[in-house]
């Protein structure tokens, strides 16, 4: 269990303040007059809340764009945000292991909304399709790949199935109406409009995946964040054996990955934590697989990036899958 730590506050606070300043949105503590101050635990959820809340709310994401919720530790500033909020939205399914302590520490009276309520959860361990030669204990790597995330048995990345985000939006709508009944009509209209966009997006994903030859719909990734995507849209995900998100791949790891790619005939590799371009180049050269572009799984990009909203994020990822797996 990852615990809330309020030590090391100087450095952490400075970092958080800088992040919030760069990220732009007003702090809940000084939400513009007349706006409902709300908090979302991470950037993707913050964007969904903005779509439902529209002009009536001021949204703060605790873990901002490009932020790593895997290693997040709440700060005193975060506790103040939560304390000042009228509604706090969290993903649940074990994503925010730090949330309960933060809520307690903040003493908030906010309405707490778990947006995955009603989503069919997927179990994250031993559920990844593992085929062919499993000679190196690959079955355990699914769990290993998210070390530090403290997820428990459920896969929290439900937002990677667009249909689930319709449920998120409905839960957010209901939470906002409870806190701000006067805005009910606005929240309902915003939700309907956003759900219409999500339905279009879902169809886009299906169309893009349908264009990829069935045999090509398989990737290796070091981060098991795309299980819901794979289940919903028919992409087979194979865990990179011997690589976790928190360690550098060794030469031995790389050799093992190359063998795995060849044996399982995987057309593309998305290894977020192999940042050394020489390693990436070597994997591509020796395995014949393509190296996929940047996928966004747990956080949005900043405003200038290709994934500054949830919808842009999904569009970015399907572009990357399509270009790496087609032909
Ligand atoms: Zn994750």
């Amino acid at each position: 269990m990852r615990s809330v730590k309020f030590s090391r506050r100087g450095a952490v606070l400075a970092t958080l303040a800088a992040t919030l300043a760069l990220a732009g949105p007003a702090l809940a503590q000084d939400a513009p007059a007349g706006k409902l101050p709300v908090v979302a635990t991470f950037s993707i959820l913050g964007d969904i809340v903005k779509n439902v809340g529209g002009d009536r709310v001021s949204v703060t994401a605790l873990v901002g764009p490009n932020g790593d919720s895997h290693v997040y530790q709440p700060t005193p500033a975060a506790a103040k945000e939560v304390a000042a909020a009228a509604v706090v939205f969290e993903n649940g399914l074990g994503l925010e292991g730090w949330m309960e302590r933060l809520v307690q520490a903040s003493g908030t009276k906010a309405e707490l909304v778990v947006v995955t309520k009603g989503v069919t959860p997927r179990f994250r361990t031993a559920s990844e399709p593992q085929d062919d030669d499993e000679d190196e204990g690959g079955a355990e790597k699914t769990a290993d790949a998210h070390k530090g995330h403290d997820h428990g048995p459920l896969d929290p990345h439900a937002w990677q199935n667009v249909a689930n985000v319709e449920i998120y939006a409905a839960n957010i709508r209901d939470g906002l109406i409870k806190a701000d009944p006067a805005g009910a009509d606005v929240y309902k209209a915003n939700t309907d409009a956003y759900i219409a966009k999500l339905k279009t997006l879902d169809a886009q994903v299906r169309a893009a995946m349908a264009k990829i030859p069935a045999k090509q719909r398989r990737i290796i990734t070091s981060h098991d964040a795309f299980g819901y995507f794979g289940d919903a849209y028919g992409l087979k995900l194979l865990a990179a054996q011997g690589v976790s998100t928190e360690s550098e791949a060794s030469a031995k790891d790389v050799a093992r990955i190359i063998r795995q790619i060849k044996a399982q005939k995987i057309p593309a590799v998305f290894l977020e934590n192999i940042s050394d371009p020489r390693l990436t180049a070597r994997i591509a050269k020796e395995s014949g697989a393509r190296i996929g572009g940047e996928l966004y799984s747990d956080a949005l990009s900043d405003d200038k990036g290709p994934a500054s909203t949830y919808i842009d994020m999904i569009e970015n990822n399907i572009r990357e899958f399509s270009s790496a797996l087609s032909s």
Side-chain angles (χ1 to χ4, degrees), residues 69-70 95 146 149 151 156-157 159 223-225 297-298:
S69 50
H70 297 218
L95 180 71
H146 245 150
H149 213 138
H151 281 148
H157 307 87
W159 61 87
H223 182 194
D224 61 343
S297 60
D298 291 20

Side-chain angles (χ1 to χ4, degrees), residues 52-95:
V52 173
D55 294 338
R56 291 186 74 89
V57 304
S58 170
V59 185
T60 301
L62 297 180
V63 183
N66 295 315
D68 190 348
S69 50
H70 297 218
V71 295
Y72 180 69
Q73 298 195 342
T75 60
K80 281 187 190 160
E81 299 288 350
V82 170
V87 193
V88 174
F89 296 100
E90 66 171 309
N91 185 77
L93 301 180
L95 180 71

Side-chain angles (χ1 to χ4, degrees), residues 42-315:
F42 65 119
S43 57
I44 295 168
L45 183 52
D47 175 62
I48 300 166
V49 173
K50 273 179 207 164
N51 277 279
V52 173
D55 294 338
R56 291 186 74 89
V57 304
S58 170
V59 185
T60 301
L62 297 180
V63 183
N66 295 315
D68 190 348
S69 50
H70 297 218
V71 295
Y72 180 69
Q73 298 195 342
T75 60
K80 281 187 190 160
E81 299 288 350
V82 170
V87 193
V88 174
F89 296 100
E90 66 171 309
N91 185 77
L93 301 180
L95 180 71
E96 303 99 337
W98 36 270
M99 197 55 190
E100 203 180 318
R101 292 280 301 277
L102 174 61
V103 165
Q104 270 173 18
S106 74
T108 188
K109 302 275 190 302
E111 185 78 24
L112 294 179
V113 177
V114 178
V115 298
T116 50
K117 193 180 154 217
V119 165
T120 304
R122 141 181 217 288
F123 288 86
R124 57 186 285 276
T125 43
S127 56
E128 303 304 331
Q130 296 284 340
D131 58 356
D132 314 329
D133 59 349
E134 288 303 321
D135 57 334
E136 319 236 15
E140 262 118 73
K141 292 305 172 207
T142 318
D144 266 0
H146 245 150
K147 221 180 259 170
H149 213 138
D150 204 12
H151 281 148
L154 299 176
D155 179 349
H157 307 87
W159 61 87
Q160 292 293 346
N161 175 355
V162 177
N164 285 338
V165 175
E166 294 186 28
I167 298 172
Y168 281 40
N171 286 327
I172 293 164
R173 176 198 61 206
D174 294 348
L176 289 175
I177 290 174
K178 207 166 169 194
D180 176 25
D185 288 348
V186 173
Y187 298 136
K188 283 178 193 165
N190 289 348
T191 303
D192 291 349
Y194 190 56
I195 285 178
K197 285 185 193 172
L198 294 174
K199 288 192 187 299
T200 304
L201 180 65
D202 188 77
Q204 255 175 277
V205 179
R206 288 176 195 285
M209 295 305 292
K211 281 193 192 140
I212 300 170
K215 279 179 93 173
Q216 298 274 106
R217 289 178 209 152
R218 38 207 278 139
I219 65 167
I220 275 198
T221 169
S222 60
H223 182 194
D224 61 343
F226 294 95
Y228 287 90
F229 185 98
D231 288 353
Y233 305 115
L235 183 68
K236 189 166 184 177
L237 301 152
L238 296 140
Q241 296 172 12
V243 181
S244 86
T245 51
E246 298 201 337
S247 65
E248 296 273 312
S250 68
K252 203 176 147 212
D253 291 335
V254 171
R256 191 189 292 136
I257 290 166
I258 290 167
R259 281 204 308 276
Q260 188 188 0
I261 291 167
K262 286 181 179 169
Q264 301 179 336
K265 297 185 179 62
I266 293 160
V269 186
F270 294 85
L271 292 176
E272 300 94 307
N273 65 325
I274 294 186
S275 50
D276 184 339
R278 288 167 306 178
L279 282 186
T280 309
R282 188 182 149 205
I283 290 173
K285 188 162 173 258
E286 295 186 21
S287 70
R290 285 180 208 181
I291 299 298
E294 188 163 15
L295 297 177
Y296 289 82
S297 60
D298 291 20
L300 299 177
S301 67
D302 62 21
D303 285 349
K304 294 186 193 81
S308 64
T309 68
Y310 170 74
I311 288 175
D312 285 351
M313 178 189 91
I314 296 290
E315 286 178 347

